[in-house]
Amino acid sequence: MLLKDILYKVSLEAVAGSTDLEISTLTFDSRKVVPGTLFVAIPGTQVDGHDFIPKAIELGATAILCERLPETLQEGVTYIQSKDASRAMGFAASNFYGQPSSKLKLVGVTGTNGKTTTVTLLFRLFRALGHRCGLISTVQNQVEDEIIPSTHTTPDSLTLNALLADMLNKGCTHVFMEVSSHAVVQQRIAGVQFAGGIFTNITHDHLDFHKTFDAYIKAKKGFFDQLPKTAFALVNADDPRGRIMVQNTVARRETYSLETGASFKGKLLADSIYGLEMEVDSHQVHFQLIGNFNAYNLLGVYGAAVLMDEDPAEVLTELSALQPPPGRFEQVISPDHIVGIVDYAHTPDALKNVLETIAELRQGNEQIITVVGCGGNRDATKRPEMARIACQFSDHVILTSDNPRNEEPEAILEDMKKGVPNDTPAEVTVLVDRREAIARAVSLAQSKDVILVAGKGHETYQDVKGVKNHFDDREELRAAFQKG
């Protein structure tokens, strides 16, 4: 593709050299440069892509997209200057891959909790309704039955557009993707055209990155700010910040709610270990999912499907048959009927939602035993709050390691212990080894007790000092149950 076509709608400050060049590939990683590459120099927190411009040229890059032009410009190389290289790369990537998002019905889902469940339910629902679909999520990316490993909640703009183009080439008509706050701030969705956006909820998270809660809210809102007039913006009206999300959007504004008037109104009739009974727009439906939080997820999915012109009755029929995604309130039952629940809950609000649901489902004096940790190199302010919430709703709490990353697990646990109330009735144990913590929880449990293993959900590894060792909470629960 010619460079001038790749630069369509890219905001430029200066151009030095010819744009009538044939470009073979785009990259922001100098190690991936081959002859004919457009190399994008991205300033980062760890490294600055501008420092790798000479290496990129040496490897054959014929064009450089950057925020600061080098002092010396090499002959035969075209230099393009833009105020925001990340944003420019988004539009360039979209053009390079043929603007795939404009040819798909692409729906983005943002919020602190519920993103993965919502996009996965949408993906499964629309396949059941007869559409060819793509999925971009924290758990995995998927093109129909083909599973592609996921490394980020929302991929970088080059990976994202390549993935969308692949989905389009394989016949997909609908794609459902998680949109993280990081992705909005880092311009990973720049140049991507959405058919709709869904807001689930917002609570304190990622303050290690955003620094303030207001900045976090602004990042989420930024997704809706860039939706086009042709798109819908569907928000949870029961979240006080739902209205804020759509203050400046030009998209069609719609709402869903369990508590107030909304475009899509639901009512929770019953919640048990066997699923949810709900009234949705005057239809009474039984769903396989459990918990008040999933009632919201289901209602958002229903609203989005109707806004995409699907038949409401058919949508509810198909939704009623769907199972929860992996690691989202996933049950592992022991031979003697101890109920193990593995959930990705890694924020205070998510943990509270899951534990409240378990407490509501309890029919007698069954114990609630919670195994929980916090990730390293992430927002440390939520650590004591996670421990406090675990103590509030549990009979036994075992504080343990999650993904310590480059922090010492003991230091993370010391932060968590600060949240344990002095007068807590819960028995609190600290065990650094997560496998030992899960085994201890099982040893404490009797028939019909509930063990919640929170924080990692679908993950099949534990990240320690940059090494991802195999670890699956579900496998560990089953193994501990087998040992009795």
Side-chain angles (χ1 to χ4, degrees), residues 426-468:
E427 293 185 19
V428 181
T429 307
V430 179
L431 290 172
V432 175
D433 187 286
R434 193 173 180 91
R435 180 173 290 111
E436 185 182 348
I438 292 172
R440 176 69 63 86
V442 170
S443 73
L444 292 170
Q446 299 177 10
S447 180
K448 297 186 180 180
D449 286 347
V450 180
I451 299 171
L452 171 65
V453 184
K456 291 175 57 58
H458 63 281
E459 292 177 348
T460 56
Y461 61 84
Q462 192 170 35
D463 190 337
V464 183
K465 303 292 184 185
V467 178
K468 290 187 175 181

Side-chain angles (χ1 to χ4, degrees), residues 23-205:
I23 297 296
S24 60
T25 188
L26 276 68
T27 187
F28 58 93
D29 185 342
S30 60
R31 296 167 296 184
K32 296 180 180 179
V33 170
V34 296
T37 295
L38 167 59
F39 174 69
V40 187
I42 306 287
T45 54
Q46 306 292 327
V47 294
D48 188 344
H50 291 77
D51 296 336
F52 297 90
I53 290 175
K55 180 185 176 183
I57 293 172
E58 183 183 325
L59 291 172
T62 52
I64 306 294
L65 175 57
C66 55
E67 293 183 7
R68 304 186 308 274
L69 291 174
E71 290 184 8
T72 304
L73 304 185
Q74 187 161 320
E75 190 175 347
V77 176
T78 298
Y79 297 84
I80 306 108
Q81 184 181 16
S82 178
K83 279 185 179 179
D84 188 333
S86 295
R87 181 171 176 79
M89 182 171 72
F91 283 91
S94 175
N95 294 332
F96 184 78
Y97 287 102
Q99 300 178 3
S101 60
S102 67
K103 300 163 189 173
L104 293 162
K105 290 186 177 179
L106 174 64
V107 175
V109 180
T110 197
T112 306
N113 304 310
K115 296 188 297 296
T116 301
T117 297
T118 301
V119 296
T120 304
L121 289 176
L122 281 165
F123 173 75
R124 293 175 178 174
L125 168 65
F126 274 77
R127 290 192 71 188
L129 292 170
H131 303 287
R132 290 185 64 83
C133 299
L135 171 70
I136 301 172
S137 81
T138 302
V139 176
Q140 65 193 28
N141 302 323
Q142 196 166 339
V143 186
E144 283 288 290
D145 291 320
E146 179 189 357
I147 295 173
I148 303 163
S150 173
T151 57
H152 292 80
T153 299
T154 309
D156 65 78
S157 58
L158 294 180
T159 304
L160 173 58
N161 279 280
L163 191 54
L164 292 174
D166 183 46
M167 290 173 173
L168 185 64
N169 290 337
K170 289 175 178 174
C172 291
T173 55
H174 296 69
V175 177
F176 306 100
M177 68 175 284
E178 294 185 51
V179 178
S180 68
S181 55
H182 293 66
V184 178
V185 173
Q186 295 171 348
Q187 301 290 344
R188 294 184 216 163
I189 57 170
V192 175
Q193 185 171 321
F194 289 88
I198 303 172
F199 167 72
T200 58
N201 52 66
I202 193 162
T203 59
H204 284 255
D205 196 18

